[in-house]
Amino acid sequence: MAIGHFVGRIALVTGAGSGIGRATCAALSREGASIVAADRDEKNAKLTIQSLKDNAKNISVEVDVKDSSSVQRMFEEVKKHFQKPPSVIVNSAGITRDSFLLKMEESHFDDVINVNLKGTFLVIQTAAKALIDANMSDGASIVNIASIVGVHGNIGQANYSSSKAGVEALTKTAAKELSKFGIRCNAVVPGFIESPMTESVPEKVKLMVQAQIMLGRFGKPEEVAEVISFLASNRSSYINGASIEVTGGCRL
Ligand SMILES: NC(=O)c1ccc[n+]([C@@H]2O[C@H](COP(=O)([O-])OP(=O)(O)OC[C@H]3O[C@@H](n4cnc5c(N)ncnc54)[C@H](O)[C@@H]3O)[C@@H](O)[C@H]2O)c1
């Protein structure tokens, strides 16, 4: 039998097909959670589920977080399968569409805001409604993924940095509004993490970034997942509306 902080709990992770989302599924599963691995790329979400041990209690779901009906369908699928809503929600779905501000296409600004910020809002709203309707909100925990570039700004990321600053503000507002139902909402603020999202960063830029990190290296998805797991669990029962940096010490 699994022993851990999430035994008997359902954890829904968006962006679960890759990087930080996939590592989060592994961390929560290790601690006994039933995992809902949700991603726009269902094939990768399935691979995440296959990589977990104790697999019978986990499912993968296809979702496009920027589309409210798709988010709605995802929660209906979870309810059909588990007969209750998830009480751990991790919003890890995210995209980049980098270019200099003077050259940025309007559609690339909209795409990033829609997935990273609106998508996080839609999942929070739908999850909270489902939990309150089921009388299961007390003790629930929502963890959003912001970014250090949302705190300091970053050349080439007018869209992404704005979306992530928005995620932090959304997190604080959600904490204020949902705490009366017993739902906590916090954000992790990663620095530069090795994942498909950062693979395309040119080597020269990677070296420049590393020079600004006290630990002198990019982080690993597992190092972010550990903090997400802590915020999702009752171990962090008095942390609410907070943003926790996981950057290796960033001097940006
Ligand atoms: N990697 C980093 O350095 C870093 C730093 C700070 C914050 N973050 C944030 O952490 C989160 C995870 O990033 P990652 O590094 O694992 O990236 P990743 O690209 O490896 O994974 C992102 C996942 O989100 C999914 N996704 C994209 N759009 C979606 C949509 N509309 N609906 C559902 N799923 C969608 C993708 O299919 C992918 O599986 C993102 O929000 C990202 O912005 C990453």
Side-chain angles (χ1 to χ4, degrees):
M1 200 178 81
I3 297 170
H5 295 280
F6 300 106
V7 172
R9 296 184 71 177
I10 302 162
L12 182 146
V13 181
T14 72
S18 179
I20 295 169
R22 179 172 281 175
T24 300
C25 291
L28 300 177
S29 169
R30 225 173 28 237
E31 296 275 355
S34 295
I35 303 296
V36 179
D39 204 292
R40 191 185 46 184
D41 186 332
E42 209 200 351
K43 209 172 96 232
N44 280 342
K46 276 206 172 88
L47 287 175
T48 296
I49 291 296
Q50 284 164 15
S51 72
L52 303 176
K53 294 205 173 85
D54 197 11
N55 215 342
K57 60 190 176 116
N58 307 316
I59 60 167
S60 59
V61 184
E62 185 181 348
V63 70
D64 181 351
V65 294
K66 68 178 181 296
D67 173 357
S68 55
S69 33
S70 175
V71 171
Q72 196 67 44
R73 276 198 303 278
M74 168 173 73
F75 278 88
E76 278 159 17
E77 237 176 280
V78 173
K79 195 172 171 199
K80 207 167 138 201
H81 188 87
F82 293 102
Q83 284 78 51
K84 58 181 185 180
S87 63
V88 169
I89 317 289
V90 180
N91 282 300
S92 190
I95 58 168
T96 53
R97 296 284 182 273
D98 297 352
S99 62
F100 293 123
L101 186 147
L102 292 177
K103 292 183 175 166
M104 188 170 283
E105 287 177 28
E106 185 179 342
S107 65
H108 284 181
F109 191 86
D110 289 345
D111 290 346
V112 170
I113 296 291
N114 281 337
V115 174
N116 297 5
L117 182 54
K118 182 184 151 192
T120 301
F121 160 72
L122 289 173
V123 173
I124 292 175
Q125 187 188 49
T126 315
K129 279 184 182 168
L131 284 161
I132 293 163
D133 284 353
N135 213 7
M136 276 190 51
S137 56
D138 198 23
S141 179
I142 299 171
V143 184
N144 302 321
I145 320 298
S147 168
I148 199 66
V149 307
V151 180
H152 300 291
N154 196 25
I155 289 171
Q157 292 197 307
N159 47 6
Y160 183 81
S161 59
S162 315
S163 76
K164 293 300 185 177
V167 166
E168 277 201 68
L170 172 62
T171 301
K172 292 185 175 84
T173 300
K176 284 189 171 166
E177 292 193 20
L178 300 177
S179 51
K180 67 168 177 274
F181 301 103
I183 304 174
R184 293 183 300 115
C185 190
N186 292 291
V188 293
V189 184
F192 294 85
I193 309 300
E194 285 168 11
S195 82
M197 186 173 270
T198 50
E199 250 166 27
S200 58
V201 175
E203 205 50 43
K204 207 172 80 182
V205 178
K206 275 190 185 162
L207 290 173
M208 271 164 54
V209 170
Q210 272 172 22
Q212 299 304 316
I213 300 171
M214 292 174 208
L215 291 180
R217 63 171 177 88
F218 277 28
K220 296 189 186 316
E222 294 74 17
E223 294 177 305
V224 183
E226 280 304 317
V227 183
I228 295 172
S229 170
F230 169 68
L231 288 174
S233 79
N234 292 336
R235 285 172 289 170
S236 59
S237 53
Y238 204 55
I239 301 181
N240 195 21
S243 297
I244 299 192
E245 291 188 7
V246 189
T247 65
C250 213
R251 302 191 197 90
L252 281 178

Short mmCIF file of all heavy atoms in Angstrom, two decimals, residues 2 28-29 58 78 92 110 127 130 146 148 152 169 174 179 190 196 207 221 240 242:
data_model
loop_
_atom_site.label_atom_id
_atom_site.label_comp_id
_atom_site.label_asym_id
_atom_site.label_seq_id
_atom_site.Cartn_x
_atom_site.Cartn_y
_atom_site.Cartn_z
N ALA A 2 0.46 2.26 -0.80
CA ALA A 2 1.25 3.49 -0.86
C ALA A 2 1.15 4.27 0.45
O ALA A 2 0.08 4.35 1.05
CB ALA A 2 0.75 4.36 -1.99
N LEU A 28 3.85 13.40 -7.16
CA LEU A 28 2.56 13.25 -6.45
C LEU A 28 2.15 11.78 -6.40
O LEU A 28 1.60 11.31 -5.39
CB LEU A 28 1.48 14.09 -7.14
CG LEU A 28 1.73 15.60 -7.20
CD1 LEU A 28 0.60 16.30 -7.96
CD2 LEU A 28 1.84 16.19 -5.80
N SER A 29 2.44 11.05 -7.46
CA SER A 29 2.10 9.63 -7.51
C SER A 29 2.90 8.85 -6.46
O SER A 29 2.37 7.97 -5.78
CB SER A 29 2.38 9.10 -8.92
OG SER A 29 2.31 7.71 -8.95
N ASN A 58 -4.63 5.76 -12.28
CA ASN A 58 -4.32 7.03 -12.96
C ASN A 58 -4.99 7.09 -14.33
O ASN A 58 -5.19 6.06 -14.96
CB ASN A 58 -2.80 7.17 -13.15
CG ASN A 58 -2.06 6.99 -11.84
OD1 ASN A 58 -2.46 7.52 -10.82
ND2 ASN A 58 -0.97 6.23 -11.87
N VAL A 78 -13.20 13.45 -15.39
CA VAL A 78 -12.62 13.09 -14.08
C VAL A 78 -13.74 12.63 -13.15
O VAL A 78 -13.63 11.61 -12.46
CB VAL A 78 -11.87 14.29 -13.46
CG1 VAL A 78 -11.41 13.97 -12.04
CG2 VAL A 78 -10.67 14.66 -14.32
N SER A 92 0.35 23.51 -14.97
CA SER A 92 1.69 23.55 -15.54
C SER A 92 1.69 23.73 -17.06
O SER A 92 2.75 23.87 -17.66
CB SER A 92 2.47 22.27 -15.16
OG SER A 92 3.82 22.39 -15.49
N ASP A 110 -1.45 37.12 -28.10
CA ASP A 110 -2.74 36.53 -27.67
C ASP A 110 -2.58 35.04 -27.30
O ASP A 110 -3.11 34.60 -26.28
CB ASP A 110 -3.78 36.63 -28.80
CG ASP A 110 -4.25 38.06 -29.02
OD1 ASP A 110 -3.98 38.90 -28.13
OD2 ASP A 110 -4.85 38.33 -30.07
N ALA A 127 -12.33 24.08 -11.45
CA ALA A 127 -11.99 23.19 -10.33
C ALA A 127 -12.69 23.65 -9.05
O ALA A 127 -13.27 22.83 -8.32
CB ALA A 127 -10.47 23.17 -10.12
N ALA A 130 -16.38 22.90 -9.08
CA ALA A 130 -16.64 21.46 -8.91
C ALA A 130 -16.44 21.05 -7.45
O ALA A 130 -17.22 20.27 -6.89
CB ALA A 130 -15.73 20.66 -9.82
N ALA A 146 4.29 30.18 -12.21
CA ALA A 146 4.64 31.50 -12.75
C ALA A 146 6.03 31.41 -13.36
O ALA A 146 6.42 30.36 -13.88
CB ALA A 146 4.55 32.53 -11.63
N ILE A 148 10.27 33.44 -13.10
CA ILE A 148 11.12 34.55 -12.64
C ILE A 148 11.11 35.69 -13.66
O ILE A 148 11.27 36.85 -13.29
CB ILE A 148 12.56 34.06 -12.32
CG1 ILE A 148 13.30 35.07 -11.44
CG2 ILE A 148 13.33 33.74 -13.58
CD1 ILE A 148 12.73 35.25 -10.05
N HIS A 152 10.96 39.97 -13.26
CA HIS A 152 11.99 40.92 -13.70
C HIS A 152 11.83 41.38 -15.15
O HIS A 152 12.50 42.32 -15.56
CB HIS A 152 13.38 40.28 -13.56
CG HIS A 152 13.71 39.90 -12.15
ND1 HIS A 152 13.93 40.83 -11.16
CD2 HIS A 152 13.83 38.69 -11.56
CE1 HIS A 152 14.17 40.21 -10.02
NE2 HIS A 152 14.11 38.91 -10.23
N ALA A 169 -0.52 37.41 -9.91
CA ALA A 169 -1.63 38.24 -9.41
C ALA A 169 -2.91 37.40 -9.30
O ALA A 169 -3.67 37.52 -8.32
CB ALA A 169 -1.84 39.43 -10.33
N ALA A 174 -7.08 34.57 -6.30
CA ALA A 174 -7.77 33.29 -6.07
C ALA A 174 -7.65 32.89 -4.60
O ALA A 174 -8.62 32.43 -3.99
CB ALA A 174 -7.17 32.21 -6.97
N SER A 179 -10.19 31.12 -0.14
CA SER A 179 -9.78 30.60 1.18
C SER A 179 -10.99 30.36 2.09
O SER A 179 -10.96 29.46 2.93
CB SER A 179 -8.78 31.55 1.84
OG SER A 179 -9.27 32.85 1.84
N PRO A 190 9.59 29.38 -11.03
CA PRO A 190 10.86 28.77 -11.45
C PRO A 190 11.74 29.79 -12.16
O PRO A 190 11.26 30.76 -12.75
CB PRO A 190 10.43 27.66 -12.41
CG PRO A 190 8.96 27.51 -12.25
CD PRO A 190 8.46 28.83 -11.80
N PRO A 196 11.85 20.67 -22.51
CA PRO A 196 11.67 21.01 -23.94
C PRO A 196 11.45 22.51 -24.15
O PRO A 196 11.82 23.04 -25.20
CB PRO A 196 10.44 20.19 -24.32
CG PRO A 196 10.52 18.99 -23.43
CD PRO A 196 11.03 19.52 -22.11
N LEU A 207 24.67 30.11 -21.62
CA LEU A 207 25.87 30.41 -20.82
C LEU A 207 25.73 31.77 -20.12
O LEU A 207 26.11 31.92 -18.96
CB LEU A 207 27.13 30.38 -21.70
CG LEU A 207 27.51 28.98 -22.20
CD1 LEU A 207 28.66 29.04 -23.19
CD2 LEU A 207 27.89 28.06 -21.01
N PRO A 221 13.46 19.62 -13.74
CA PRO A 221 12.01 19.60 -13.47
C PRO A 221 11.68 18.99 -12.10
O PRO A 221 10.78 19.47 -11.41
CB PRO A 221 11.46 18.74 -14.61
CG PRO A 221 12.44 18.91 -15.72
CD PRO A 221 13.79 19.07 -15.07
N ASN A 240 -0.49 30.42 1.91
CA ASN A 240 -1.61 30.74 1.03
C ASN A 240 -1.37 32.07 0.33
O ASN A 240 -0.93 33.03 0.97
CB ASN A 240 -2.91 30.81 1.85
CG ASN A 240 -4.15 30.78 0.97
OD1 ASN A 240 -4.10 30.33 -0.17
ND2 ASN A 240 -5.26 31.26 1.50
N ALA A 242 0.93 32.69 -1.72
CA ALA A 242 2.38 32.94 -1.75
C ALA A 242 2.98 32.57 -3.10
O ALA A 242 2.41 31.79 -3.87
CB ALA A 242 3.06 32.12 -0.65
#
